[in-house]
Every structure is written in structure tokens, then in C-alpha cells.
């Protein structure tokens, strides 16, 4: 009897040691993935002849376009980790652009940055009052904040900017620029290396050169906010309590956590970060406030946060992807987007092979058919229509969200209405 039990036990499948969870990516694996992606970009650049695809200017432009998207996404992460959906990021960015420009042209760019943060935080506070105190649906409140911000800034511009020299009801006077830094010697050496157009080496030099050339000090601040957010939310007691409000607020309250307080803090910080993104647009990207200049970046930031699975690092990758796609139409335009057709086709071939390996034949067939269509499109044309170039960032947003939806896990209590003491 004991012998048969032992044999049955040995025949039974063993439970996975990690509890069925996916293994965490280690730093060497992440670096290997980045190197593989860069090698793929280099291959596409060599085949297509689009040498500007990974140039210093392209990377620098992509970084500048990615920062406001990333700041909005970071703001969304703070709010949603505390259980509050923040569709109002777009409106808070609008407030950041207006307040940042209003203070910036009068008292200097850094005062404008602080006022932009304050303007976005004001929008976050309004969203917090509506959703947390009055328990209004989070989506409805966010849409209301967006509409209110657009109307309020349009009204304020009529008797502020319109009366100033160089301003109008739709734009502010010119704002002084924030200092930019370039690492001398290293920047020139990387630019020379990139101009040689060597496989992989020149592409790596272009990426690194974009990170050390003509970099705004506010960009450096924005990049530092990513590890700061990770440390604050995942390595402090404050962050643990805040995240518990987004996972199970009833259990958090039973352990003595003031759920209302942490939700308020998170949503106000969320608004401040979105406002900082708006101030970046007005002060760094353009040097002027213009009506409608956010261009939906608050929504794209929300998409970047979802793509990143509510994690700062993933969100940063998503923002970088959207910023790079957006920058393609500014440098090289149709030529660069045409080269991206080849890149997407190769990625779809890889996806088809992976699906075949997992014995998912229908998705593999669909991926292979799409890859064939893109290869044909690339081979039979020299450029893509200008309308497709303009739509590329938004098409990328839809594709990324569609392809990444199956692996996402948002905070369990995200968007749920909560009242103090409801667990009693």
C-alpha cells in the first residue's frame, strides 16, 4: 500500500516553485532584450536606408515628446494605484499649460513650472472631492474635469494673455527658456560615430547621444521622477498603505489606514504630475501657451500607463514608444514611417512563430497574414500617405492596448466607489 502511494505521489505533477507566477525579469535579461530591439532597428535602418531612424536628433526629439506623455502616465499611476480612475488627466494637463505659461512669462520659467504643478493639482483636488467625498462615478467626474478645464482656460485667456504684448485670446506671450545641458566631448564623439552608419554601433551611439545632447533640466527632473515613484510606492510604508487602498480599501481601513486621506493625496499628486507635463509642453517644448496644445496627450499617457501594467518602468517604455512614433513625422516624415512598416512586419513574423510554438494556430495565421500584407505594402511603395503619418501615434496607441490587454492586471478596487465604514 505504501509503495503504491509513493509511486502515485511521484507520478503526480509537481507544483511550480514560484507559485505559478511569471518569473521576474532580471537586469541581464532586460539588457539583452534592449540590445535585441536595437539590433532589429539597426537592421531595418540598413535595409530601408532611413538613416535618421536612430539618429541623435530623432532620439532627442522622441525624448522631448515622450516626457509630457510619461508625466501624465505617472500621474495616472498614482491615482489608480490608490483606486481612483483619472480620466481627467487631459484637463489637468490643460490647467498645467495655462498656469505654467501665465506665471512663466511674468516671473520666469521655474515659477511657471511650480504654478503648472499647482494648476494640475487643483484639477486633481476637484476630481478627488467629486469622486472620493461625493462618490460620483470616476469616468463621469474625469470627463467633467476635462470640459471644465478647457472652458476655464479659454475664459481666463480672454482677459490675461489677450491684454499682453505678443499675446492673444488663444496664446500667451513668449516664455523664457529653461537651461539645456550637453556633455561636451562625449556628445560630439557620439554624433560622429552615429554619422558613420555602422550596423548596431552607430544606432547605439545615436540613442546614447540623444540622452546627453541638448537636454532640458526639466527633462532630467521628469526622468528622475520615475525611480522616485517606484521607491515611494513599493519601498516605503506610505506606498504600501496607498496601494492597499487600491487593492482592498475595506481591509486597509480595518488595519487603521485612513483610506480617504491616502486617496486624496494620490489624486492630488496625480494632478500635479499631469500639470507638470502641461507646463513642460508650454515652457520647454514650445516656449508658449497655445489653446489645444495638449493634443490628447493626457489620454495617451493613460494608455502608456495601462500598457505598462500600472508599473513605472513599463509606463516609461510605453511613453517612449508613443513619443518615438510621434517624432517620426517631425524628422524624415513619410520615409521613417515607411521604414516602420518593415519593422512591424518583422515583429509580426516573430509573433507568428511564437504563436506556432505555443500551438495557437489561428493567431499565428492572422499574424502571418498581416506580416505578408505589410511586406507587400513596403515592397510596392516608396512612402506612405501623409494622413497615415499624422495618424501613426494614435494607431500605435490602439495597437499596443489591443495586443497587451490579455496580460494586464489593474488594482482590484480601481474605480470602485467607497464609503468610510462600509465593511462594518
Amino acid at each position: 500500500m505504501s509503495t503504491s502511494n509513493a509511486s502515485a505521489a511521484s507520478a503526480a505533477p509537481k507544483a511550480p516553485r514560484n507559485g505559478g507566477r511569471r518569473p521576474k525579469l532580471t537586469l541581464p535579461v532586460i539588457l539583452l532584450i534592449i540590445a535585441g530591439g536595437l539590433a532589429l532597428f539597426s537592421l531595418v535602418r540598413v535595409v530601408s536606408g532611413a538613416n535618421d531612424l536612430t539618429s541623435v536628433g530623432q532620439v532627442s526629439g522622441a525624448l522631448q515628446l515622450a516626457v509630457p506623455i510619461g508625466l501624465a502616465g505617472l500621474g495616472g499611476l498614482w491615482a489608480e494605484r490608490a483606486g481612483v480612475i483619472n480620466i481627467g488627466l487631459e484637463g489637468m494637463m490643460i490647467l498645467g499649460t495655462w498656469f505654467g505659461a501665465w506665471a512663466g512669462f511674468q516671473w520666469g520659467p521655474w515659477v511657471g513650472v511650480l504654478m503648472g504643478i499647482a494648476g494640475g493639482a487643483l484639477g486633481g483636488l476637484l476630481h478627488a472631492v467629486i469622486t472620493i467625498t461625493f462618490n460620483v462615478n470616476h469616468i463621469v467626474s474625469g470627463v467633467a474635469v476635462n470640459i471644465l478645464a478647457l472652458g476655464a482656460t479659454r475664459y481666463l485667456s480672454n482677459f490675461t494673455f489677450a491684454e499682453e504684448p505678443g499675446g492673444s485670446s488663444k496664446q500667451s506671450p513668449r516664455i523664457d527658456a529653461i537651461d539645456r545641458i550637453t556633455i561636451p566631448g562625449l556628445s560630439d564623439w557620439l554624433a560622429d560615430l552615429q554619422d558613420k552608419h555602422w550596423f548596431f554601433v552607430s544606432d547605439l551611439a545615436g540613442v546614447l547621444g540623444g540622452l546627453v545632447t541638448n537636454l532640458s533640466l526639466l527633462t532630467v527632473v521628469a526622468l528622475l521622477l520615475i525611480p522616485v515613484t517606484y521607491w515611494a510606492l513599493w519601498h516605503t510604508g506610505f506606498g504600501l498603505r496607498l496601494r492597499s487602498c487600491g487593492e482592498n480599501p475595506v481591509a486597509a481601513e480595518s488595519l487603521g489606514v485612513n483610506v480617504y486621506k491616502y486617496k486624496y493625496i494620490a489624486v492630488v499628486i496625480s494632478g500635479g504630475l499631469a500639470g507638470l507635463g502641461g507646463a513642460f509642453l508650454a515652457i520647454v517644448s514650445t516656449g508658449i501657451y497655445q489653446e489645444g496644445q495638449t493634443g490628447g496627450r493626457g489620454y495617451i499617457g493613460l494608455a502608456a500607463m495601462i500598457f505598462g501594467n500600472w508599473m513605472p518602468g513599463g509606463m516609461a517604455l510605453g511613453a517612449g514608444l508613443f513619443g518615438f512614433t510621434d517624432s517620426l513625422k517631425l524628422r524624415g516624415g513619410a520615409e521613417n514611417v515607411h521604414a516602420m512598416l518593415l519593422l512591424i512586419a518583422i515583429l509580426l513574423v516573430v509573433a507568428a512563430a511564437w504563436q506556432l510554438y505555443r500551438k495557437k494556430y489561428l493567431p499565428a495565421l492572422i499574424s502571418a497574414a498581416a506580416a505578408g500584407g505589410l511586406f507587400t505594402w513596403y515592397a510596392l511603395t516608396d512612402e506612405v500617405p501623409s494622413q497615415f503619418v499624422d495618424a501613426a501615434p494614435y494607431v500605435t496607441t490602439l495597437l499596443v492596448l489591443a495586443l497587451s490587454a490579455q496580460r494586464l492586471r489593474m488594482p482590484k478596487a480601481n474605480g470602485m466607489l467607497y464609503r468610510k465604514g462600509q465593511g462594518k
Side-chain angles (χ1 to χ4, degrees):
M1 186 68 177
S2 60
T3 305
S4 61
N5 289 340
S7 61
S10 62
K14 295 182 180 180
R17 293 181 180 180
N18 61 358
R21 295 176 296 178
R22 294 180 181 180
K24 292 184 178 180
L25 293 176
T26 60
L27 181 60
V29 173
I30 293 174
L31 292 177
L32 186 62
I33 293 172
I34 293 174
L38 189 59
L40 182 58
F41 265 94
S42 185
L43 175 65
V44 170
R45 177 184 60 80
V46 171
V47 172
S48 65
N51 290 322
D52 198 44
L53 198 62
T54 55
S55 67
V56 172
Q58 182 75 57
V59 174
S60 180
L63 181 61
Q64 182 163 296
L65 290 167
V67 166
I69 295 173
L71 288 170
L74 209 59
L77 188 148
W78 273 87
E80 300 207 6
R81 277 295 176 179
V84 179
I85 296 176
N86 193 356
I87 295 292
L89 289 169
E90 177 74 7
M92 296 166 198
M93 285 192 78
I94 292 173
L95 292 172
T97 59
W98 192 90
F99 280 98
W102 173 72
F105 85 88
Q106 298 181 86
W107 303 301
W110 286 108
V111 177
V113 169
L114 295 177
M115 285 300 296
I117 295 172
L122 183 64
L125 179 62
L126 177 61
H127 186 53
V129 171
I130 296 172
T131 56
I132 301 169
T133 301
F134 293 103
N135 252 6
V136 174
N137 181 277
H138 298 185
I139 306 297
V140 173
S141 173
V143 172
V145 169
N146 290 338
I147 296 172
L148 182 61
L150 183 61
T153 53
R154 185 174 296 173
Y155 170 73
L156 291 171
S157 296
N158 287 327
F159 60 87
T160 52
F161 299 147
E163 298 177 357
E164 296 290 338
S168 72
S169 61
K170 294 184 180 294
Q171 71 176 41
S172 71
R174 179 65 55 179
I175 308 166
D176 292 338
I178 290 177
D179 292 339
R180 293 177 177 268
I181 56 174
T182 296
I183 299 179
L186 178 61
S187 176
D188 295 334
W189 177 67
L190 290 172
D192 291 339
L193 197 58
Q194 179 256 315
D195 288 337
K196 296 183 182 300
H197 306 308
W198 292 337
F199 180 80
F200 189 80
V201 175
S202 292
D203 300 278
L204 180 60
V207 172
L208 295 177
L211 299 177
V212 298
T213 304
N214 200 28
L215 200 63
S216 169
L217 291 177
L218 192 56
T219 301
V220 177
V221 172
L223 293 175
L224 290 175
L225 286 174
I226 297 171
V228 167
T229 292
Y230 178 74
W231 172 80
L233 291 182
W234 275 270
H235 291 278
T236 65
F238 164 80
L240 178 62
R241 290 187 288 272
L242 187 146
R243 288 186 293 114
S244 70
C245 297
E247 296 291 341
N248 193 332
V250 174
E253 183 185 355
S254 69
L255 295 174
V257 175
N258 188 334
V259 176
Y260 277 13
K261 182 182 79 172
Y262 281 94
K263 284 180 178 286
Y264 261 92
I265 291 172
V267 179
V268 171
I269 291 175
S270 172
L273 288 168
L276 178 59
F280 185 95
L281 279 173
I283 298 171
V284 177
S285 298
T286 61
I288 196 171
Y289 164 82
Q290 291 177 312
E291 187 176 299
Q293 72 185 130
T294 55
R297 287 177 176 82
Y299 300 113
I300 299 177
L302 199 63
M305 179 207 66
I306 295 171
F307 166 77
N309 206 14
W310 288 263
M311 293 293 291
M315 183 282 306
L317 289 175
L321 172 65
F322 297 134
F324 179 79
T325 308
D326 203 12
S327 70
L328 291 176
K329 64 183 182 183
L330 302 179
R331 295 178 57 90
E335 180 186 12
N336 285 340
V337 176
H338 185 251
M340 292 300 291
L341 294 178
L342 179 60
L343 175 65
I344 296 173
I346 296 173
L347 290 175
L348 285 172
V349 170
V350 174
W354 174 249
Q355 296 293 352
L356 281 175
Y357 172 76
R358 299 176 64 190
K359 297 182 179 180
K360 294 186 176 182
Y361 300 112
L362 181 60
L365 180 62
I366 295 173
S367 298
L374 288 175
F375 275 125
T376 303
W377 187 3
Y378 175 79
L380 297 179
T381 60
D382 293 327
E383 60 180 25
V384 296
S386 59
Q387 294 86 348
F388 186 82
V389 175
D390 294 334
Y394 308 102
V395 173
T396 303
T397 303
L398 291 174
L399 287 175
V400 166
L401 290 179
L403 294 174
S404 63
Q406 294 182 348
R407 65 172 183 82
L408 301 177
R409 182 209 169 275
M410 69 177 183
K412 293 181 180 178
N414 192 23
M416 294 183 182
L417 302 180
Y418 167 80
R419 289 191 182 277
K420 187 176 181 179
Q422 71 180 36
K424 295 181 180 179

